[in-house]
Coordinates of all heavy atoms in Angstrom, one line a residue:
M1 N 106.9 -58.3 50.0 CA 105.6 -57.9 50.5 C 104.5 -58.4 49.5 O 104.7 -58.4 48.3 CB 105.5 -56.4 50.5 CG 106.5 -55.8 51.6 SD 106.4 -54.0 51.6 CE 104.8 -53.7 52.5
Y2 N 103.3 -58.7 50.1 CA 102.1 -59.1 49.3 C 102.4 -60.2 48.3 O 102.0 -60.0 47.1 CB 101.6 -57.8 48.5 CG 101.1 -56.7 49.5 CD1 101.9 -55.6 49.6 CD2 99.9 -56.8 50.2 CE1 101.5 -54.5 50.5 CE2 99.6 -55.8 51.0 CZ 100.3 -54.6 51.2 OH 100.0 -53.6 52.0
S3 N 103.1 -61.2 48.7 CA 103.5 -62.3 47.8 C 102.9 -63.6 48.2 O 102.6 -63.8 49.4 CB 105.0 -62.4 47.7 OG 105.6 -61.3 47.2
D4 N 102.6 -64.5 47.3 CA 102.1 -65.8 47.5 C 103.1 -66.8 46.9 O 103.6 -66.6 45.8 CB 100.7 -65.9 46.9 CG 100.1 -67.3 47.3 OD1 100.2 -67.8 48.4 OD2 99.4 -67.8 46.4
Q5 N 103.3 -67.9 47.7 CA 104.2 -69.0 47.3 C 105.7 -68.5 47.1 O 106.2 -68.2 46.0 CB 103.7 -69.6 46.0 CG 102.4 -70.2 46.2 CD 102.0 -71.2 45.1 OE1 102.8 -71.6 44.2 NE2 100.8 -71.7 45.2
I6 N 106.3 -68.3 48.3 CA 107.7 -67.9 48.3 C 108.5 -69.1 48.8 O 108.1 -69.7 49.8 CB 107.9 -66.7 49.3 CG1 107.1 -65.5 48.9 CG2 109.4 -66.4 49.4 CD1 107.0 -64.5 50.0
Q7 N 109.6 -69.4 48.2 CA 110.5 -70.4 48.7 C 111.9 -69.8 48.7 O 112.4 -69.3 47.7 CB 110.5 -71.7 47.9 CG 111.4 -72.7 48.5 CD 111.3 -74.1 47.9 OE1 110.5 -74.3 47.0 NE2 112.1 -75.1 48.4
I8 N 112.6 -69.9 49.9 CA 114.0 -69.4 50.0 C 114.7 -70.6 50.6 O 114.5 -71.0 51.8 CB 114.1 -68.2 50.9 CG1 113.2 -67.1 50.3 CG2 115.5 -67.7 51.0 CD1 113.1 -65.8 51.3
S9 N 115.6 -71.2 49.8 CA 116.2 -72.5 50.3 C 117.7 -72.5 50.0 O 118.1 -72.0 49.0 CB 115.6 -73.7 49.5 OG 114.2 -73.8 49.8
N10 N 118.4 -73.2 50.9 CA 119.8 -73.6 50.7 C 120.7 -72.4 50.3 O 121.4 -72.5 49.3 CB 119.8 -74.7 49.5 CG 119.0 -75.9 50.0 OD1 118.7 -76.1 51.2 ND2 118.7 -76.8 49.0
L11 N 120.6 -71.4 51.0 CA 121.5 -70.3 50.8 C 122.3 -70.0 52.1 O 121.8 -70.3 53.2 CB 120.7 -69.0 50.4 CG 119.9 -69.1 49.2 CD1 119.1 -67.8 49.1 CD2 120.8 -69.2 48.0
T12 N 123.4 -69.4 52.0 CA 124.1 -68.8 53.1 C 124.0 -67.3 53.0 O 124.4 -66.7 52.0 CB 125.6 -69.3 53.2 OG1 125.6 -70.7 53.3 CG2 126.3 -68.6 54.3
L13 N 123.5 -66.6 54.0 CA 123.4 -65.2 54.1 C 124.3 -64.6 55.2 O 124.2 -65.1 56.3 CB 121.9 -64.8 54.3 CG 120.9 -65.5 53.4 CD1 119.5 -65.1 53.9 CD2 121.1 -65.1 52.0
I14 N 125.1 -63.7 54.8 CA 126.1 -63.2 55.8 C 126.0 -61.7 56.0 O 125.9 -60.9 55.0 CB 127.5 -63.6 55.2 CG1 127.6 -65.1 55.1 CG2 128.6 -63.1 56.2 CD1 128.9 -65.5 54.4
N15 N 126.1 -61.3 57.2 CA 126.3 -59.9 57.6 C 125.3 -58.9 57.1 O 125.7 -57.8 56.6 CB 127.7 -59.4 57.3 CG 128.8 -60.1 58.1 OD1 128.5 -60.7 59.1 ND2 130.0 -60.0 57.7
S16 N 124.0 -59.2 57.1 CA 123.0 -58.2 56.9 C 123.1 -57.1 57.9 O 123.4 -57.4 59.1 CB 121.6 -58.8 56.9 OG 120.6 -57.8 56.9
P17 N 122.9 -55.9 57.5 CA 123.0 -54.8 58.5 C 121.7 -54.7 59.4 O 121.6 -54.0 60.4 CB 123.1 -53.5 57.7 CG 122.4 -53.9 56.4 CD 122.7 -55.4 56.2
S18 N 120.7 -55.5 59.0 CA 119.4 -55.5 59.7 C 118.8 -56.9 59.6 O 119.5 -57.9 59.5 CB 118.5 -54.4 59.2 OG 117.3 -54.3 60.0
W19 N 117.5 -57.0 59.6 CA 116.8 -58.3 59.5 C 117.2 -59.0 58.2 O 117.3 -58.3 57.1 CB 115.3 -58.2 59.6 CG 114.8 -57.5 60.8 CD1 115.6 -57.2 62.0 CD2 113.5 -57.1 61.1 NE1 114.8 -56.7 62.9 CE2 113.5 -56.6 62.4 CE3 112.3 -57.2 60.4 CZ2 112.3 -56.1 63.0 CZ3 111.1 -56.7 61.0 CH2 111.2 -56.2 62.3
F20 N 117.5 -60.3 58.3 CA 117.9 -61.0 57.1 C 116.7 -61.4 56.1 O 116.7 -61.0 54.9 CB 118.6 -62.3 57.4 CG 120.1 -62.2 57.9 CD1 120.4 -61.7 59.1 CD2 121.1 -62.5 57.0 CE1 121.7 -61.5 59.5 CE2 122.4 -62.4 57.4 CZ 122.7 -61.9 58.6
V21 N 115.8 -62.1 56.6 CA 114.6 -62.6 55.8 C 113.3 -62.0 56.4 O 113.0 -62.4 57.6 CB 114.6 -64.1 55.8 CG1 113.4 -64.6 55.0 CG2 115.9 -64.6 55.2
H22 N 112.6 -61.2 55.7 CA 111.5 -60.5 56.3 C 110.3 -60.5 55.3 O 110.0 -59.4 54.7 CB 111.9 -59.0 56.6 CG 110.9 -58.2 57.3 ND1 110.9 -56.8 57.2 CD2 109.8 -58.6 58.0 CE1 109.8 -56.4 57.9 NE2 109.2 -57.4 58.4
P23 N 109.6 -61.6 55.2 CA 108.4 -61.5 54.4 C 107.2 -60.8 55.1 O 107.1 -61.0 56.3 CB 108.0 -63.0 54.2 CG 108.7 -63.7 55.4 CD 109.9 -62.9 55.8
V24 N 106.5 -60.0 54.4 CA 105.4 -59.1 54.9 C 104.2 -59.3 54.1 O 104.2 -59.3 52.9 CB 105.9 -57.7 54.9 CG1 104.8 -56.8 55.6 CG2 107.2 -57.5 55.6
Y25 N 103.0 -59.4 54.8 CA 101.7 -59.6 54.1 C 101.7 -60.7 53.0 O 101.2 -60.5 51.9 CB 101.3 -58.3 53.5 CG 101.3 -57.0 54.4 CD1 101.8 -55.8 53.9 CD2 100.9 -57.1 55.7 CE1 101.9 -54.7 54.7 CE2 100.9 -56.0 56.5 CZ 101.4 -54.8 56.0 OH 101.5 -53.7 56.8
S26 N 102.4 -61.8 53.3 CA 102.5 -62.8 52.3 C 102.1 -64.2 52.9 O 101.8 -64.3 54.1 CB 104.0 -62.9 51.9 OG 104.4 -61.7 51.3
S27 N 101.9 -65.1 52.0 CA 101.4 -66.4 52.4 C 102.1 -67.6 51.6 O 102.6 -67.4 50.6 CB 99.9 -66.5 52.2 OG 99.6 -66.1 50.8
N28 N 102.0 -68.7 52.2 CA 102.5 -70.0 51.6 C 104.0 -69.8 51.4 O 104.5 -69.7 50.3 CB 101.8 -70.3 50.4 CG 100.3 -70.5 50.7 OD1 99.9 -71.3 51.6 ND2 99.4 -69.8 50.0
I29 N 104.8 -69.8 52.5 CA 106.2 -69.5 52.5 C 107.0 -70.6 53.1 O 106.6 -71.2 54.1 CB 106.4 -68.2 53.4 CG1 105.7 -67.0 52.8 CG2 107.9 -67.9 53.4 CD1 105.6 -65.9 53.8
I30 N 108.0 -71.0 52.4 CA 109.0 -72.0 52.9 C 110.3 -71.4 53.0 O 110.8 -70.8 52.0 CB 109.1 -73.3 52.0 CG1 107.7 -74.0 51.9 CG2 110.1 -74.2 52.5 CD1 107.6 -75.1 50.9
V31 N 110.9 -71.4 54.2 CA 112.3 -71.0 54.4 C 113.1 -72.1 55.0 O 112.9 -72.5 56.1 CB 112.3 -69.7 55.3 CG1 113.8 -69.3 55.5 CG2 111.5 -68.6 54.8
N32 N 113.9 -72.8 54.2 CA 114.7 -73.9 54.7 C 116.1 -74.0 54.1 O 116.4 -73.4 53.1 CB 113.9 -75.2 54.5 CG 113.8 -75.6 53.0 OD1 114.2 -74.9 52.1 ND2 113.3 -76.8 52.8
G33 N 116.9 -74.7 54.9 CA 118.2 -74.9 54.4 C 119.1 -73.7 54.4 O 120.1 -73.6 53.7
L34 N 118.7 -72.6 55.2 CA 119.5 -71.4 55.2 C 120.6 -71.5 56.3 O 120.3 -72.0 57.4 CB 118.7 -70.2 55.5 CG 117.6 -69.8 54.4 CD1 117.0 -68.5 54.7 CD2 118.1 -69.9 53.0
T35 N 121.7 -70.9 56.0 CA 122.7 -70.6 57.0 C 122.8 -69.1 57.1 O 123.1 -68.4 56.1 CB 124.1 -71.2 56.7 OG1 124.0 -72.6 56.6 CG2 125.1 -70.8 57.7
I36 N 122.5 -68.6 58.3 CA 122.4 -67.1 58.5 C 123.5 -66.7 59.5 O 123.4 -67.3 60.6 CB 121.0 -66.7 58.9 CG1 120.0 -66.9 57.8 CG2 121.0 -65.2 59.4 CD1 118.6 -66.5 58.1
L37 N 124.4 -65.9 59.1 CA 125.5 -65.6 60.0 C 125.6 -64.1 60.2 O 125.9 -63.3 59.2 CB 126.8 -66.1 59.4 CG 126.8 -67.6 59.1 CD1 128.1 -68.0 58.4 CD2 126.7 -68.4 60.4
A38 N 125.4 -63.6 61.4 CA 125.7 -62.2 61.8 C 126.6 -62.3 63.0 O 126.4 -63.2 63.9 CB 124.4 -61.5 62.1
P39 N 127.4 -61.3 63.2 CA 128.2 -61.3 64.4 C 127.3 -61.1 65.7 O 126.3 -60.4 65.6 CB 129.1 -60.0 64.3 CG 129.1 -59.7 62.8 CD 127.8 -60.2 62.3
L40 N 127.7 -61.9 66.7 CA 126.8 -61.9 67.9 C 126.7 -60.6 68.6 O 125.8 -60.3 69.4 CB 127.2 -63.0 68.9 CG 127.2 -64.4 68.3 CD1 127.7 -65.4 69.3 CD2 125.9 -64.8 67.7
N41 N 127.6 -59.7 68.3 CA 127.6 -58.4 69.0 C 127.0 -57.2 68.2 O 127.1 -56.1 68.5 CB 129.0 -58.0 69.5 CG 130.0 -57.8 68.3 OD1 129.7 -58.3 67.2 ND2 131.1 -57.2 68.5
V42 N 126.4 -57.6 67.1 CA 125.8 -56.5 66.2 C 124.2 -56.6 66.4 O 123.6 -57.6 66.2 CB 126.1 -56.7 64.7 CG1 125.4 -55.7 63.9 CG2 127.6 -56.6 64.5
P43 N 123.6 -55.5 66.9 CA 122.2 -55.5 67.2 C 121.3 -55.5 65.9 O 121.8 -55.2 64.8 CB 122.0 -54.2 68.0 CG 123.1 -53.3 67.5 CD 124.3 -54.2 67.2
N44 N 120.1 -55.9 66.1 CA 119.0 -55.8 65.1 C 119.2 -56.7 63.9 O 118.6 -56.6 62.8 CB 118.9 -54.4 64.5 CG 118.5 -53.4 65.6 OD1 117.7 -53.7 66.5 ND2 119.2 -52.3 65.7
T45 N 120.1 -57.7 64.1 CA 120.3 -58.6 62.9 C 119.5 -59.9 63.1 O 120.0 -61.0 63.0 CB 121.8 -59.0 62.9 OG1 122.2 -59.5 64.2 CG2 122.7 -57.8 62.5
D46 N 118.2 -59.7 63.2 CA 117.2 -60.8 63.3 C 117.4 -61.8 62.1 O 117.7 -61.3 61.0 CB 115.8 -60.4 63.3 CG 115.4 -59.8 64.6 OD1 116.2 -59.5 65.5 OD2 114.1 -59.6 64.8
G47 N 117.2 -63.1 62.3 CA 117.4 -64.0 61.2 C 116.2 -64.0 60.3 O 116.3 -63.6 59.1
I48 N 115.1 -64.6 60.8 CA 113.9 -64.7 59.9 C 112.7 -64.2 60.7 O 112.4 -64.6 61.8 CB 113.7 -66.2 59.6 CG1 114.9 -66.8 58.9 CG2 112.4 -66.4 58.7 CD1 114.9 -68.4 58.9
N49 N 112.0 -63.2 60.1 CA 110.9 -62.5 60.7 C 109.6 -62.6 59.8 O 109.4 -61.6 59.0 CB 111.2 -61.1 61.0 CG 112.2 -60.9 62.2 OD1 112.7 -61.9 62.7 ND2 112.6 -59.7 62.5
P50 N 108.8 -63.6 59.9 CA 107.5 -63.5 59.2 C 106.7 -62.5 59.9 O 106.5 -62.5 61.1 CB 106.9 -64.9 59.4 CG 107.7 -65.5 60.6 CD 109.0 -64.8 60.7
D51 N 106.1 -61.6 59.1 CA 105.4 -60.4 59.6 C 104.1 -60.3 58.9 O 104.0 -60.0 57.7 CB 106.4 -59.2 59.3 CG 106.0 -57.9 59.9 OD1 104.9 -57.8 60.5 OD2 106.8 -57.0 59.9
S52 N 103.0 -60.5 59.6 CA 101.7 -60.5 59.1 C 101.6 -61.5 57.9 O 101.1 -61.2 56.8 CB 101.2 -59.1 58.6 OG 101.1 -58.2 59.7
C53 N 102.1 -62.7 58.1 CA 102.1 -63.7 57.1 C 101.4 -65.0 57.5 O 101.2 -65.3 58.7 CB 103.6 -64.2 56.8 SG 104.5 -62.9 56.0
T54 N 100.9 -65.7 56.6 CA 100.1 -66.9 56.8 C 100.7 -68.1 56.1 O 101.2 -68.0 55.0 CB 98.6 -66.7 56.2 OG1 98.1 -65.5 56.8 CG2 97.7 -67.8 56.6
N55 N 100.6 -69.3 56.8 CA 101.1 -70.5 56.2 C 102.6 -70.4 55.9 O 103.1 -70.3 54.8 CB 100.4 -71.0 54.9 CG 99.0 -71.3 55.2 OD1 98.6 -71.6 56.4 ND2 98.1 -71.3 54.2
V56 N 103.4 -70.4 57.0 CA 104.8 -70.3 56.9 C 105.5 -71.5 57.5 O 105.1 -71.9 58.6 CB 105.3 -69.0 57.7 CG1 106.8 -68.8 57.5 CG2 104.5 -67.8 57.2
R57 N 106.5 -72.1 56.8 CA 107.2 -73.2 57.3 C 108.7 -72.8 57.3 O 109.3 -72.5 56.2 CB 107.0 -74.4 56.4 CG 107.2 -75.7 57.1 CD 106.7 -76.8 56.2 NE 107.8 -77.2 55.3 CZ 107.5 -77.7 54.0 NH1 106.3 -77.9 53.6 NH2 108.6 -78.0 53.3
I58 N 109.3 -72.8 58.5 CA 110.7 -72.4 58.7 C 111.4 -73.6 59.3 O 111.1 -74.0 60.4 CB 110.8 -71.2 59.6 CG1 110.1 -70.0 59.0 CG2 112.3 -70.9 59.9 CD1 109.9 -68.8 60.0
E59 N 112.2 -74.3 58.5 CA 112.8 -75.5 59.1 C 114.2 -75.7 58.5 O 114.6 -75.3 57.5 CB 111.9 -76.7 58.8 CG 111.7 -76.9 57.3 CD 110.6 -78.0 57.1 OE1 109.9 -78.4 58.0 OE2 110.4 -78.3 55.9
D60 N 115.0 -76.5 59.3 CA 116.3 -76.9 59.0 C 117.2 -75.7 58.6 O 117.9 -75.7 57.6 CB 116.3 -77.9 57.8 CG 115.5 -79.1 58.1 OD1 115.9 -79.8 59.1 OD2 114.5 -79.5 57.4
N61 N 117.2 -74.7 59.5 CA 118.1 -73.6 59.3 C 119.1 -73.5 60.4 O 118.8 -73.9 61.5 CB 117.3 -72.3 59.2 CG 116.2 -72.3 58.1 OD1 116.6 -72.3 57.0 ND2 115.0 -72.3 58.5
Y62 N 120.2 -72.9 60.1 CA 121.2 -72.6 61.1 C 121.3 -71.1 61.2 O 121.6 -70.4 60.2 CB 122.6 -73.2 60.8 CG 123.7 -72.9 61.7 CD1 123.8 -73.6 62.9 CD2 124.5 -71.8 61.5 CE1 124.8 -73.3 63.8 CE2 125.5 -71.4 62.5 CZ 125.6 -72.2 63.6 OH 126.6 -71.9 64.5
I63 N 121.2 -70.5 62.4 CA 121.1 -69.1 62.6 C 122.0 -68.6 63.7 O 121.9 -69.1 64.8 CB 119.7 -68.6 62.8 CG1 118.7 -69.1 61.8 CG2 119.6 -67.0 62.9 CD1 117.3 -68.8 62.1
E64 N 122.9 -67.7 63.4 CA 123.7 -67.0 64.4 C 123.4 -65.5 64.3 O 123.5 -64.9 63.2 CB 125.2 -67.1 64.2 CG 125.7 -68.5 64.5 CD 127.3 -68.6 64.3 OE1 127.9 -67.6 64.0 OE2 127.8 -69.7 64.3
S65 N 122.9 -64.9 65.3 CA 122.4 -63.5 65.2 C 122.7 -62.7 66.5 O 122.8 -63.3 67.6 CB 120.8 -63.6 65.1 OG 120.3 -62.3 65.3
G66 N 122.9 -61.4 66.3 CA 123.1 -60.5 67.4 C 121.7 -60.1 68.1 O 121.7 -59.4 69.1
D67 N 120.6 -60.6 67.5 CA 119.3 -60.3 68.1 C 118.5 -61.6 68.0 O 118.9 -62.7 68.4 CB 118.7 -59.1 67.3 CG 117.6 -58.4 68.1 OD1 117.2 -59.0 69.1 OD2 117.2 -57.3 67.7
D68 N 117.2 -61.5 67.6 CA 116.4 -62.7 67.5 C 116.8 -63.6 66.4 O 117.0 -63.1 65.2 CB 114.9 -62.3 67.4 CG 114.5 -61.4 68.5 OD1 114.7 -61.8 69.6 OD2 113.9 -60.3 68.2
C69 N 116.8 -64.9 66.6 CA 117.0 -65.8 65.5 C 115.8 -65.8 64.6 O 115.8 -65.7 63.4 CB 117.4 -67.2 66.0 SG 119.0 -67.3 66.7
I70 N 114.6 -66.0 65.2 CA 113.3 -66.0 64.5 C 112.4 -65.1 65.4 O 112.3 -65.3 66.6 CB 112.7 -67.4 64.3 CG1 113.7 -68.2 63.4 CG2 111.3 -67.3 63.7 CD1 113.3 -69.7 63.4
A71 N 111.6 -64.2 64.8 CA 110.6 -63.4 65.5 C 109.4 -63.3 64.7 O 109.4 -62.9 63.5 CB 111.2 -62.0 65.8
I72 N 108.3 -63.8 65.2 CA 107.0 -63.7 64.5 C 106.4 -62.4 64.8 O 106.3 -62.0 66.0 CB 106.0 -64.9 64.9 CG1 106.7 -66.2 64.6 CG2 104.7 -64.7 64.2 CD1 105.9 -67.4 65.2
K73 N 106.0 -61.6 63.8 CA 105.5 -60.3 64.0 C 104.1 -60.1 63.3 O 103.7 -60.9 62.5 CB 106.5 -59.3 63.4 CG 107.9 -59.4 64.0 CD 108.9 -58.4 63.6 CE 108.5 -57.0 64.1 NZ 108.6 -56.8 65.6
S74 N 103.5 -59.0 63.7 CA 102.3 -58.6 63.0 C 102.2 -57.1 63.0 O 101.4 -56.4 63.6 CB 101.0 -59.2 63.7 OG 101.0 -58.8 65.1
G75 N 103.2 -56.6 62.2 CA 103.3 -55.1 62.1 C 104.1 -54.5 63.2 O 104.7 -55.2 64.1
W76 N 104.1 -53.2 63.3 CA 104.9 -52.5 64.2 C 104.0 -51.6 65.1 O 103.4 -50.7 64.7 CB 105.9 -51.6 63.5 CG 106.8 -50.8 64.4 CD1 107.4 -51.2 65.5 CD2 107.2 -49.4 64.2 NE1 108.2 -50.2 66.0 CE2 108.1 -49.1 65.2 CE3 107.0 -48.5 63.2 CZ2 108.7 -47.8 65.3 CZ3 107.6 -47.2 63.3 CH2 108.4 -46.9 64.3
D77 N 103.9 -52.0 66.4 CA 103.2 -51.3 67.4 C 101.8 -50.8 66.9 O 101.1 -51.6 66.4 CB 104.1 -50.1 67.9 CG 105.3 -50.6 68.6 OD1 105.4 -51.8 68.9 OD2 106.2 -49.8 68.9
Q78 N 101.5 -49.5 67.1 CA 100.2 -49.1 66.7 C 99.8 -49.2 65.2 O 98.7 -49.3 64.9 CB 99.9 -47.6 67.2 CG 100.7 -46.5 66.5 CD 102.0 -46.2 67.1 OE1 102.7 -47.1 67.6 NE2 102.5 -45.0 66.9
Y79 N 100.9 -49.2 64.4 CA 100.6 -49.3 63.0 C 100.1 -50.7 62.6 O 99.2 -50.9 61.8 CB 101.9 -49.0 62.2 CG 102.5 -47.6 62.6 CD1 103.6 -47.6 63.3 CD2 101.8 -46.4 62.2 CE1 104.1 -46.3 63.7 CE2 102.3 -45.2 62.6 CZ 103.5 -45.2 63.4 OH 104.0 -44.0 63.8
G80 N 100.8 -51.7 63.3 CA 100.4 -53.1 63.1 C 99.0 -53.3 63.6 O 98.2 -54.0 63.0
I81 N 98.7 -52.8 64.8 CA 97.3 -52.9 65.4 C 96.3 -52.3 64.4 O 95.2 -52.9 64.2 CB 97.3 -52.3 66.8 CG1 98.2 -53.1 67.7 CG2 95.9 -52.2 67.3 CD1 98.5 -52.4 69.0
K82 N 96.6 -51.2 63.9 CA 95.6 -50.5 63.0 C 95.4 -51.3 61.7 O 94.3 -51.5 61.2 CB 96.2 -49.1 62.6 CG 95.2 -48.2 61.9 CD 95.7 -46.8 61.8 CE 94.7 -46.0 61.0 NZ 95.3 -44.7 60.6
F83 N 96.5 -51.9 61.2 CA 96.4 -52.7 59.9 C 95.6 -54.0 60.2 O 94.8 -54.4 59.4 CB 97.8 -52.9 59.3 CG 97.7 -53.4 57.9 CD1 97.7 -52.4 56.9 CD2 97.8 -54.7 57.6 CE1 97.7 -52.8 55.6 CE2 97.7 -55.1 56.2 CZ 97.7 -54.2 55.2
G84 N 95.9 -54.6 61.3 CA 95.1 -55.7 61.8 C 95.3 -57.0 61.0 O 94.3 -57.7 60.8
K85 N 96.5 -57.3 60.6 CA 96.7 -58.6 59.9 C 97.7 -59.4 60.8 O 98.9 -59.2 60.8 CB 97.3 -58.4 58.5 CG 97.5 -59.7 57.8 CD 97.6 -59.6 56.3 CE 97.6 -61.0 55.6 NZ 97.9 -62.1 56.4
P86 N 97.2 -60.5 61.4 CA 98.0 -61.3 62.3 C 98.9 -62.2 61.4 O 98.6 -62.4 60.3 CB 97.0 -62.1 63.1 CG 95.8 -62.2 62.3 CD 95.8 -60.9 61.5
S87 N 99.9 -62.8 62.1 CA 100.6 -63.9 61.5 C 99.9 -65.2 62.0 O 99.6 -65.3 63.2 CB 102.1 -64.0 61.9 OG 102.8 -63.0 61.2
E88 N 99.7 -66.1 61.1 CA 98.9 -67.4 61.4 C 99.5 -68.6 60.8 O 100.1 -68.5 59.7 CB 97.5 -67.2 61.0 CG 96.7 -66.1 61.6 CD 95.3 -66.0 61.1 OE1 95.1 -65.7 59.9 OE2 94.4 -66.2 61.9
H89 N 99.3 -69.7 61.4 CA 99.8 -71.0 60.8 C 101.3 -71.0 60.5 O 101.6 -71.0 59.3 CB 98.9 -71.4 59.6 CG 97.4 -71.3 59.9 ND1 96.8 -72.2 60.8 CD2 96.5 -70.5 59.4 CE1 95.5 -71.8 60.8 NE2 95.3 -70.8 60.0
I90 N 102.0 -70.9 61.5 CA 103.5 -70.9 61.4 C 104.1 -72.2 62.0 O 103.8 -72.5 63.1 CB 104.1 -69.7 62.2 CG1 103.3 -68.4 61.9 CG2 105.6 -69.6 61.9 CD1 103.8 -67.5 60.9
I91 N 104.9 -72.9 61.2 CA 105.6 -74.0 61.7 C 107.1 -73.7 61.7 O 107.7 -73.2 60.8 CB 105.4 -75.2 60.8 CG1 104.0 -75.7 60.9 CG2 106.4 -76.4 61.2 CD1 103.6 -76.8 59.8
I92 N 107.7 -73.9 62.9 CA 109.2 -73.7 63.0 C 109.8 -75.0 63.6 O 109.3 -75.4 64.7 CB 109.5 -72.5 64.0 CG1 108.9 -71.2 63.4 CG2 111.0 -72.3 64.2 CD1 108.9 -70.0 64.4
R93 N 110.7 -75.6 62.9 CA 111.3 -76.8 63.5 C 112.7 -77.0 63.0 O 113.1 -76.5 61.9 CB 110.5 -78.0 63.2 CG 110.2 -78.2 61.8 CD 109.1 -79.3 61.6 NE 108.7 -79.4 60.2 CZ 107.7 -80.0 59.7 NH1 106.9 -80.6 60.6 NH2 107.4 -80.0 58.4
R94 N 113.5 -77.7 63.8 CA 114.9 -78.0 63.5 C 115.7 -76.8 63.1 O 116.3 -76.7 62.0 CB 114.9 -79.1 62.3 CG 114.3 -80.4 62.7 CD 114.5 -81.5 61.7 NE 114.0 -81.1 60.3 CZ 112.7 -81.3 59.9 NH1 111.8 -82.0 60.7 NH2 112.4 -81.0 58.7
I95 N 115.8 -75.9 64.1 CA 116.6 -74.7 64.0 C 117.8 -74.9 64.9 O 117.6 -75.3 66.1 CB 115.8 -73.4 64.4 CG1 114.5 -73.3 63.7 CG2 116.7 -72.2 64.2 CD1 114.6 -73.2 62.2
K96 N 119.0 -74.6 64.4 CA 120.2 -74.7 65.3 C 120.8 -73.3 65.4 O 120.8 -72.6 64.4 CB 121.2 -75.7 64.7 CG 120.6 -77.1 64.8 CD 121.7 -78.1 64.3 CE 121.1 -79.5 64.2 NZ 122.0 -80.4 63.4
Ligands
LIG101 C1 118.0 -78.0 49.4 O1 119.0 -78.9 49.9 C2 118.4 -80.2 50.3 C3 119.5 -81.0 50.9 O2 120.6 -81.1 50.0 C4 117.8 -80.8 49.1 O3 117.2 -82.0 49.5 C5 116.7 -79.9 48.5 O4 116.2 -80.4 47.3 C6 117.3 -78.5 48.2 N1 116.2 -77.6 47.9 C7 116.2 -76.9 46.7 C8 115.0 -76.1 46.5 O5 117.0 -77.0 45.9

């Protein structure tokens, strides 16, 4: 949360009980070269969820998830609307 210049690269992440990678209120983020593995029958195991984040590049990742592989968010329901920080300038490419 509240971070600038985050890079998460070249890791294998296995069996998170919930969302794997979840930057919040952050900017200038690169997430690449990840292999994310969750069983396809386990719910809520989203892969990468930029949440109220700006300038995000998500590329060259392999994701198996029981829920969303990538979900762009801007907070949670009425709390997100009240806080009012959108996600902007997101690039997503070469996801398998
Ligand atoms: C991640 O792996 C790629 C491919 O091997 C390599 O080009 C890149 O430099 C690596 N990134 C980091 C931050 O080590």
Side-chain angles (χ1 to χ4, degrees):
M1 295 179 75
Y2 300 105
S3 296
D4 185 35
Q5 299 197 7
I6 301 168
Q7 182 171 359
I8 303 173
S9 299
N10 298 347
L11 299 172
T12 297
L13 308 176
I14 300 173
N15 291 347
S16 169
S18 185
W19 301 352
F20 280 77
V21 178
H22 182 207
V24 185
Y25 310 137
S26 296
S27 54
N28 302 309
I29 301 166
I30 298 171
V31 180
N32 69 352
L34 299 190
T35 298
I36 291 177
L37 302 173
L40 299 182
N41 61 346
V42 177
N44 302 317
T45 52
D46 285 12
I48 303 166
N49 289 0
D51 191 348
S52 298
C53 289
T54 306
N55 295 339
V56 182
R57 209 171 79 209
I58 298 169
E59 59 191 7
D60 299 305
N61 301 293
Y62 177 85
I63 305 170
E64 290 181 8
S65 167
D67 201 346
D68 301 309
C69 291
I70 298 170
I72 300 171
K73 304 186 64 67
S74 53
W76 181 39
D77 296 349
Q78 71 269 30
Y79 308 106
I81 291 166
K82 189 171 179 193
F83 197 84
K85 182 163 186 345
S87 281
E88 300 178 295
H89 308 295
I90 313 266
I91 294 172
I92 299 170
R93 57 190 170 195
R94 296 188 302 271
I95 308 297
K96 291 182 186 166

